[in-house]
Structure formats: C-alpha cells, structure tokens
Amino acid sequence: MEFALTEEQQLIQDSAKRMVEKDIAPVLAAHPSDKSLPREAMAKIYPVLAAQGITAPRVPADEGGSGMKMLDYALVYEQLPAWLSISIMGHDVTFARIHAEATPEQRARFLPGMLSGDKIGGTATSEPNAGSDPRGLTTRMTVEGDTAIVNGRKIWITNGSVADVLAVTCIDGVDEKGRNTLKRIVIEPEHSKFEIREIETTGLRQGHLSEAVFEDCEVPAANILSSGGDAARMLTITWNGNRPLVGLVAARLAERAFEAAVDYAGIREQFGKPIAGHQLIQKNLADIQTAIMTSRLLCYRALDLMDQGARNNADAAMAKRHATTVCLEAISKAMAVHGGMGITEEAGLEQLWRDARMLSVPDATDEILTLIQGREITGIAAFR
Ligand SMILES: Cc1cc2nc3c(=O)[nH]c(=O)nc-3n(C[C@H](O)[C@H](O)[C@H](O)COP(=O)(O)OP(=O)(O)OC[C@H]3O[C@@H](n4cnc5c(N)ncnc54)[C@H](O)[C@@H]3O)c2cc1C
C-alpha cells in the first residue's frame, strides 16, 4: 500500500497547477463568473487541456487517445475549476464512448478534432422523463436510406450548446425479450438542424448544461455508431470512472473552503481571542479536514481499482456519494466559521457551496448510488 505521490505524479500535479494559473485563469477572469462561457473562450481553453492529455485520457495512445491512468488523470482533473472539470469529463467520456462504439472510419472522422481540443464533445442520454432509469428513454432513430431521422428531447447535456460532436443515445429497436435496444448516433450541429438552449442552474455557472429538441432531425446514417459495441454497457463502465472524479471535484471545493476557514479563524476575534482558539471552531475545522481526506482516499482508491482492471462498481458509487455529501456539509461548516461573512458573495464560499450542490446529481444521484452499492453487497437489485 502506497499513499504518497510518485515523483512522476508530483510532476503531473505541479504542471496542472501551472496550466490553470497561467493559461486558464486569465481566460476565465475575462468573463462573468455566473454566465456560461462563450464558445470563443472555450476554444482557447480546450487546446490547453489537450496539451495536458486530458481530452482523451481513457483511450490508449496507440488507439488515438492520450492513454493515461485514471489516477494520473485525476491529479490533473482536480486542479481545474469545478465547472471545467465537469465539462472536460463530459468531453472525455464522449470520446471514450465514440471510440468504443465506432468503426475505424468513424473514429478517424470524429476523434482527431476532439483529441486536439479543436472540437468539443458531449453525450446526450438523459431526457425529461428518463434520468435515473435509462430504460425509460424515448428518443428514437429510424433509418431511411442513407439518412437517420432522430425524434426526441434530451436534457442536462454537459457542453451541449458549445459541442461540435454530440453522441446522442437513441432507441433503435427491441430485443428478443421485448426491451428497447439502444444505439448512439453522432450529431454535429454544423450539419444537422435541431434546437438547443442553455438551462440556468444553481452552480457551475460558467459551464454549459443544455436541453436539445430533435424534430425529424436528419443525420447521415453513416454517423450511427455501429461497430457492435454495447451502448448500455459502455455507459456503466464510463460512469464507474466518472463517479470518483466527481467526488474529487467536491473534495477540491471543500479544500478551498477549508483554507478560507482556517485563515479567517486565525484573524477573527471574539470573546477576547481569535475564534480559532474556541473548541467548537476547532471541531468544525477538524470535521472539514476529515471530510476532504476521507473523500480523496475513497475516490483515489476507486480510480486505482479501475487502473488495475478490477471491478469498482461499489467503490465508485461509495466514493461519489460520500464525497458529495460530506464535502457539501464541510463547505457549509466553513461558511459557519465565517459567521455573517460566510453567506456573502464577497467571501466566495456561497459559490463553492452552490457548485458542490450540483455534484450530487450527475452520473447517478445519492439514492441510485446507494442502490448500486446495495446490489453489490447483497447480489439483489432493489431498483424495480
Ligand atoms: C451537472 C450535471 C451534468 C449532467 N451531465 C449530463 C450529461 O452530460 N448527459 C446526460 O445525459 N445527463 C447529464 N446529467 C443528468 C443526470 O445524469 C440526471 O439528472 C440524473 O441521472 C438524475 O436524473 P433526473 O434528474 O431525471 O432525476 P430522476 O431520475 O427523476 O430522480 C428524481 C429523484 O428520485 C430519486 N430516485 C429515482 N429512482 C429511485 C429509486 N429507484 N429509488 C429511490 N430513489 C429514486 C432520485 O435519486 C432523485 O432524488 C447531468 C446532470 C447534472 C446536474
């Protein structure tokens, strides 16, 4: 068992910190912190992320990706601003899913631009009436000659409104048991017409969370991902990587709140001494630090299992649910340490809290994660 970063991992982390400071923070600072970033700004940021290898970390280098261990990816990933972490994850899983389900010709068409960061990707699976239960999907594609016609509505698409490449999960038929079969099709806004709009949300506001409506949307049938890959299975595999990554975003947000709380407790005086000297303030600080540490350890472990090729369904679910729950509480405690200042925009903690509040939803809610872990423990699925 080894808890310290290797020299190489330390270099990866240091380089990521420098990238954020030098190449990303100035772009973000030029735009309002509570509005989705314009496409031109995203176009400056994505090639920077590509240079760090995180536009396609989960696909081996000899197959067209940048081939990183999930743990190394995480060390870069957790340095990013929270909304950008969610954005690059939406892009990177789209790359991995297209890679897994595409023919060699399709890979050559869609993936190089996504690897270089010139094109941004997103996956549209959730629908207004199908979130936790993907079996409820209703978006359908039918094929007429060389054209696929897509009809349906997708919601909560990370990167949706700025994506050049959208992998849209559709029903394309039924299996022998009468269940819907799923296939993904790549829809490029440059070539196909559909409506897309931004959804205003509590946090992660410089990012993009979009709704798309497809009404007889015509797409070349050559864009149906048809290598025989199983779209439903691929969703599960990629979710098992995403969950600990989302947990790490929560841990990083809590860490920023912790640093602010420690500083404030050292300078704010009440009852004749710095509040850091009051026992209950120390308890709050100790609780916050414990939340960050336990979250990181669980998330790193879930990712390490994945790197070793081991099953990590329960570990990934546990890591995300634990991290997003305790880190949200931790940020709230950091706000409490600040008293009235904690709830001001000026202190910046409320934004950390709003961003963290978003994280319990994507890649499975707390309840669904609990059921996934319960199924792994008991061997019994409690979903239906
Ligand atoms: C920041 C963010 C990014 C996202 N990115 C994407 C994306 O890129 N692509 C995409 O397709 N989707 C994305 N989503 C959507 C996300 O995956 C869904 O919101 C999520 O799966 C929950 O679905 P829902 O919102 O429809 O809630 P529902 O499934 O309707 O759930 C409502 C409530 O019921 C609970 N519930 C449901 N079933 C059960 C059960 N069996 N037992 C107990 N409780 C239950 C849920 O936990 C929840 O509390 C994103 C969401 C967010 C917030």
Side-chain angles (χ1 to χ4, degrees), residues 127-139:
E127 296 180 2
N129 292 318
S132 302
D133 182 8
R135 283 205 210 161
L137 295 181
T138 56
T139 297

Side-chain angles (χ1 to χ4, degrees), residues 210-229:
S210 322
E211 177 171 19
V213 180
F214 303 98
E215 271 179 4
D216 291 329
C217 174
E218 296 191 5
V219 188
N223 287 17
I224 301 172
L225 299 180
S226 52
S227 70

Side-chain angles (χ1 to χ4, degrees), residues 228-274:
D230 178 341
R233 185 166 171 278
M234 196 56 204
L235 272 177
T236 303
I237 293 171
T238 43
W239 278 331
N240 285 339
N242 290 359
R243 287 169 186 153
L245 289 173
V246 175
L248 287 171
V249 179
R252 179 76 186 109
L253 289 168
E255 188 171 57
R256 289 174 56 195
F258 175 67
E259 288 161 4
V262 172
D263 285 351
Y264 191 78
I267 51 170
R268 176 72 176 169
E269 294 195 2
Q270 289 296 295
F271 298 96
K273 62 177 180 179

Side-chain angles (χ1 to χ4, degrees), residues 20-34:
V20 172
E21 268 172 36
K22 187 171 144 291
D23 300 320
I24 294 181
V27 180
L28 303 192
H31 296 278
S33 62
D34 61 347

Side-chain angles (χ1 to χ4, degrees), residues 39 42-51 55 91 110-121 162-165 190:
R39 182 67 179 78
M42 296 294 281
K44 288 184 190 155
I45 290 175
Y46 260 69
V48 173
L49 301 178
T55 43
H91 173 93
F110 301 126
L111 298 183
M114 290 178 70
L115 178 68
S116 64
D118 294 320
K119 292 198 168 179
I120 297 177
V162 288
D164 307 282
V165 174
E190 195 188 347

